[in-house]
Amino acid sequence: MEIFATALPALGDAWALILQPVVLGYLVLGVVMGLAVGVFPGLGGIAGLSLLLPFMFGMDPVLGLALMIGMVAVVPTSDTFASVLMGIPGSSASQATVLDGFPMAKNGQAARALAAAFTSSLFGGLVGATFLTMFILVARPIVLAFGLPEMLMITILGLSMVAILAGRFALKGLAAAGLGMMIGTIGEADAGGSLRMATYDIPYLTDGLKLVIVGLGIFAIPEIVSLLRQDRSIAKGASLGAGWMDGVRDWMANKWLSVRCSIIGVVVGIIPGLGGSVVDWIAYGHTVQTTKDKTNFGKGEVRGVIGPESSNNAKEGGGLVPTLLFGIPGSGSMAIFIGAIALLGSGDIEVGPAMLKNNLDITYSIVWLLALANVVGTILCIAASGGIAKLTTIRFTYLAPFLFMLISFAAFQSGQNFEDLLALFAIGLIGIFLRRFDWSRPAFLIGFVLSNPVEKFSNQAFQIASFRFRKSFEEGIDYVFSPIVIVLIIITLVSVVLGLRQAKAIMAEGEVQSGSKRAPLIFLLVIAAYLVVALINANMIPDYNLTDKIIPLVVGSLALLCCLILLVQMMRRQEGDAIFADKEVAGEDADAPYGLWSTLAWFAGLIVATWFLGFILALVGFLIAFLRVRAGAGWGKTLILAACGIGFMCLMAGALNRDFPPGLLQGAVDLPWPLK
């Protein structure tokens, strides 16, 4: 009864908070932005939230949450457009939808597939929100009992999950997570202030890399570059066909499948680190297993759309459970969500037990916003279907320069330094090669995000445990191995064993052909070389600052060990083995008419020009040159599109009071805004 006495007033307060017209307006704005992001393949929730991060600084908490939840809720719905109409996974959470959704579209049943998908997404989203409400009611007393050892163990559980369930080779997943953690330790250590892989001669590195830059670099840039190299329209035709009500009736006929897959989505979402790259395949596998006639799968079976779409929306509600209750990201997008919450208001809102204790009304407002956003998102997706089908016939070459423009502006806002753009390019390069050689990018990102919590919780738990052990051995053991810690250790071990069994069936980067030894081997040696340098650097920290060096040494050693085992395996295996996965051997990247380096040179040119001329002047030259030379547009279209891009940037920066990256020209000459 005490639970309800506390929760019910908070539920009412949350409802009052979000029913304000301005909050609903921000929710709809977030839904519209999520719709726009989800339509373009590869951007997904991670890139979308990364674009929002710069604007979260100091924003009213409820307004900021409405904007973010609107985007998070609708991306798994709107990315269905790319999967069904284009045959390209809109995000990692919609890979399985392609298998039957795209054949349905080619059979003239796009409307039926979309209707079934949107109805399933709406139901899954509402199941996720309902579960989150109930779980917060029940789990609040349990969560408040979590101490430092428990938080450390649940962080390790998240790391073990994402690393093992990250591809055909578990060692690649572990190494990618380790690399992410090592890059996450760059800069000043929190405990003792020691510098790691940084120097005061380069002040930018002392603060470490920002999450928005790593998120955009690892996920957005590789997909944008890949699509740009192919130089084609996203879809060949814009016909939806008929059958909207047929799709709804399909869902009604398979509602229990939708219920089961929604529960799968919630459960997978709860497990930290699994997120969207796994859930749709688990749901699709369940759908195939429970269907008597399996012959139509892969050829346009509507159940193959309903199952994955129910689960990938439900997983957002499940993913918010570890995110809100423990501060552990359930997925890559939740990792960015955690960073964004810390920026809201005066910065005093912190996800985890403290949020349930001090901000229960805001916690429940997130639940209500999630449910509302799913309803609004589904309605908007159905309304926008006809127009979006036509939008997909635009050559991606016309969209890419504006995406480069947006991610450069978003990256700069994270630290207001020109070096932000250089870091974005460098991390983007890492993302491109991780994608090419079938190394898990989600594992890398979760490793980066959890590097700080692992270090913080382990150092604090060690200090308190040392004090308890000095008092008595029994008290120390009771503190370190509490019942919750023992349960979490068992769950972690079970998840590792199960994960190792399933790893071969889970493709980190989709189906990747294998090639020669040379390129994958060189990439592995580059990663190993960085780890060696980072280990030597960490070992140079004085022993009196042991807390600053222990995590980099342990994590770096484990990651290097994984790389060495991979190296031995590569030396012993023949060319063509799955370990030598390389997207440049076969597939869309290999057949692309444009090369990687010539495509990247455009983005590099924008950054170099910004260094000399400042962002806006560089952007004018970049847009005109790109549209004229790369897209082959006429002068009239080029000037109109360039003017629209510059106008949009100035409007957004002016409305939000943001600056543009300055160049050498701005340091020498006093120019008016927006040139300064």
Side-chain angles (χ1 to χ4, degrees):
M1 289 304 294
E2 187 182 343
I3 293 172
F4 287 100
T6 308
L8 289 177
L11 279 164
D13 292 343
W15 196 240
L17 276 174
I18 67 167
L19 281 183
Q20 302 171 66
V22 65
V23 176
L24 294 175
Y26 270 83
L27 179 71
V28 172
L29 178 62
V31 168
V32 171
M33 293 173 73
L35 176 62
V37 166
V39 166
F40 299 116
L43 292 187
I46 296 173
L49 281 175
S50 299
L51 292 170
L52 284 183
L53 265 183
F55 312 120
M56 292 294 114
F57 289 98
M59 185 182 280
D60 179 89
V62 179
L63 297 182
L65 286 170
L67 197 62
M68 288 191 292
I69 292 293
M71 175 172 282
V72 166
V74 80
V75 165
T77 306
S78 60
D79 64 13
T80 309
F81 284 117
S83 302
V84 172
L85 297 175
M86 313 170 196
I88 305 168
S91 69
S92 61
S94 63
Q95 293 170 348
T97 308
V98 174
L99 300 183
D100 286 293
F102 192 49
M104 286 182 73
K106 288 193 288 187
N107 295 336
Q109 295 180 313
R112 181 186 172 196
L114 289 174
F118 294 153
T119 310
S120 305
S121 294
L122 172 60
F123 180 76
L126 293 176
V127 168
T130 304
F131 182 86
L132 182 58
T133 305
M134 294 189 297
F135 200 90
I136 290 172
L137 279 171
V138 176
R140 188 168 180 258
I142 302 170
V143 172
L144 296 179
F146 268 59
L148 290 169
E150 290 83 2
M151 296 300 288
L152 176 60
M153 270 314 304
I154 205 161
T155 308
I156 291 170
L157 171 63
L159 280 173
S160 69
M161 284 285 184
V162 76
I164 299 299
L165 297 175
R168 289 174 287 183
F169 292 92
L171 286 171
K172 282 187 177 182
L174 285 168
L179 178 65
M181 289 188 75
M182 292 301 285
I183 289 177
T185 62
I186 290 174
E188 277 186 346
D190 287 342
S194 304
L195 288 181
R196 294 166 313 189
M197 291 302 287
T199 169
Y200 288 117
D201 294 333
I202 310 176
Y204 179 78
L205 289 177
T206 59
D207 287 336
L209 295 174
K210 303 295 187 293
L211 178 59
V212 61
I213 291 171
V214 176
L216 285 170
I218 289 295
F219 283 94
I221 287 181
E223 303 301 337
I224 293 170
V225 168
S226 174
L227 283 166
L228 182 56
R229 288 177 59 193
Q230 293 163 36
D231 194 25
R232 59 176 174 82
S233 60
I234 297 172
K236 293 177 182 176
S239 173
L240 280 175
W244 284 103
M245 288 312 298
D246 289 342
V248 176
R249 281 192 285 269
D250 286 329
W251 178 83
M252 288 295 294
N254 295 286
K255 55 182 176 294
W256 293 113
L257 171 67
S258 187
V259 169
R260 294 195 302 273
C261 289
S262 295
I263 293 169
I264 288 171
V266 167
V267 172
V268 172
I270 288 172
I271 300 169
L274 284 187
S277 56
V278 179
V279 66
D280 62 327
W281 290 114
I282 296 174
Y284 189 81
H286 171 77
T287 304
V288 175
Q289 289 166 357
T290 55
T291 302
K292 290 180 181 178
D293 181 11
K294 299 176 173 59
T295 56
N296 206 32
F297 281 100
K299 302 172 186 175
E301 170 62 66
V302 73
R303 288 171 65 89
V305 173
I306 291 170
E309 287 300 314
S310 298
S311 66
N312 69 24
N313 257 52
K315 76 110 173 41
E316 296 300 337
L320 281 166
V321 171
T323 304
L324 296 179
L325 274 58
F326 304 109
I328 304 300
S331 64
S333 57
M334 289 297 109
I336 294 175
F337 186 75
I338 287 175
I341 286 180
L343 305 177
L344 294 171
S346 55
D348 56 353
I349 298 176
E350 184 180 348
V351 291
M355 190 169 183
L356 290 183
K357 188 176 181 181
N358 305 322
N359 303 104
L360 192 57
D361 56 342
I362 289 180
T363 307
Y364 276 120
S365 70
I366 292 174
V367 178
W368 293 125
L369 286 167
L370 184 64
L372 271 177
N374 274 287
V375 175
V376 175
T378 302
I379 293 169
L380 282 179
C381 281
I382 292 172
S385 296
I388 286 170
K390 292 182 176 64
L391 186 66
T392 58
T393 59
I394 299 172
R395 275 176 65 202
F396 192 77
T397 316
Y398 283 111
L399 301 173
F402 300 104
L403 293 175
F404 279 137
M405 170 185 81
L406 283 172
I407 63 174
S408 300
F409 178 70
F412 176 74
Q413 301 311 315
S414 65
Q416 298 278 310
N417 291 299
F418 173 78
E419 288 89 343
D420 290 326
L421 300 182
L422 297 178
L424 175 67
F425 187 85
I427 297 294
L429 212 53
I430 294 173
I432 286 168
F433 286 113
L434 288 175
R435 178 183 179 275
R436 174 179 170 178
F437 297 117
D438 195 28
W439 289 59
S440 173
R441 289 179 290 164
F444 177 94
L445 183 63
I446 298 296
F448 177 84
V449 170
L450 293 182
S451 61
N452 185 259
V454 164
E455 188 165 31
K456 180 174 72 174
F457 293 141
S458 58
N459 286 339
Q460 292 175 353
F462 174 76
Q463 290 169 3
I464 296 173
S466 300
F467 173 74
R468 298 282 178 95
F469 274 113
R470 280 196 293 270
K471 291 177 72 176
S472 74
F473 181 78
E474 290 78 12
E475 188 173 336
I477 286 292
D478 288 343
Y479 176 73
V480 174
F481 293 105
S482 69
I484 296 177
V485 168
I486 292 169
V487 169
L488 288 171
I489 289 173
I490 293 169
I491 292 172
T492 302
L493 291 174
V494 169
S495 72
V496 168
V497 172
L498 292 177
L500 282 168
R501 287 182 178 180
Q502 297 177 27
K504 293 179 181 178
I506 298 169
M507 306 294 183
E509 297 294 349
E511 193 71 49
V512 184
Q513 297 296 318
S514 300
S516 66
K517 286 188 175 186
R518 187 166 175 264
L521 201 56
I522 291 172
F523 181 64
L524 176 65
L525 290 173
V526 169
I527 290 176
Y530 174 81
L531 291 171
V532 168
V533 172
L535 281 168
I536 293 170
N537 178 266
N539 196 50
M540 290 168 63
I541 296 172
D543 287 341
Y544 60 77
N545 266 350
L546 186 64
T547 53
D548 290 353
K549 64 190 289 187
I550 190 70
I551 292 297
L553 286 176
V554 171
V555 171
S557 298
L558 288 173
L560 185 60
L561 178 63
C562 291
C563 288
L564 292 175
I565 296 172
L566 276 171
L567 181 62
V568 171
Q569 290 180 345
M570 285 185 173
M571 299 296 285
R572 295 176 64 181
R573 297 189 186 187
Q574 297 296 316
E575 287 191 352
D577 189 273
I579 201 171
F580 301 111
D582 188 347
K583 281 184 179 283
E584 296 293 333
V585 172
E588 290 180 332
D589 285 6
D591 299 334
Y594 291 92
L596 169 65
W597 298 110
S598 62
T599 303
L600 264 180
W602 285 101
F603 187 37
L606 174 61
I607 294 172
V608 171
T610 300
W611 168 254
F612 288 105
L613 304 174
F615 186 64
I616 286 294
L617 288 174
L619 189 59
V620 171
F622 169 74
L623 290 176
I624 291 173
F626 190 98
L627 292 168
R628 276 291 294 160
V629 177
R630 186 72 160 72
W635 274 111
K637 184 185 285 188
T638 295
L639 294 175
I640 290 170
L641 290 174
C644 289
I646 299 296
F648 176 76
M649 273 284 94
C650 293
L651 185 67
M652 190 164 70
L656 297 165
N657 195 26
R658 300 293 173 193
D659 292 324
F660 293 115
L664 296 177
L665 179 64
Q666 282 71 22
V669 182
D670 186 22
L671 296 169
W673 191 91
L675 302 179
K676 69 177 181 181

